[in-house]
């Protein structure tokens, strides 16, 4: 399985929950809008992406899982 992150910068309010939860995967630009650092998530960080998505107050963080077969 491959997990891909998507961030909707149009709805991001810059709360920073994603960066605090998974700093290796997310950052913020100067106005606070989310930046996805890694589109494909390493296996050991998948739980962090799920948590970041859950904690995002504007629901700007989403993820999809695809089969590698």
């Amino acid at each position: 399985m491959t997990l891909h992150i998507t961030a909707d910068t149009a709805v991001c309010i810059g709360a920073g929950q994603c960066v605090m939860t998974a700093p290796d995967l997310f950052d913020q630009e100067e106005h606070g809008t989310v930046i996805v650092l890694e589109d494909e998530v390493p296996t050991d960080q998948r739980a962090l992406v799920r948590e970041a998505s859950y904690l995002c107050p504007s629901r700007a963080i989403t993820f999809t899982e695809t089969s590698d077969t």
Side-chain angles (χ1 to χ4, degrees), residues 16-55:
Q17 297 299 314
C18 56
V19 178
M20 289 187 281
T21 303
D24 292 336
L25 302 173
F26 300 100
D27 201 353
Q28 291 174 287
E29 55 102 59
E30 67 181 79
H31 299 290
T33 305
V34 63
I35 299 169
V36 176
L37 299 175
E38 295 288 334
D39 177 50
E40 285 192 28
V41 180
T43 303
D44 63 334
Q45 297 203 16
R46 291 180 180 179
L48 293 175
V49 171
R50 289 181 181 93
E51 184 176 353
S53 177
Y54 174 77
L55 293 173

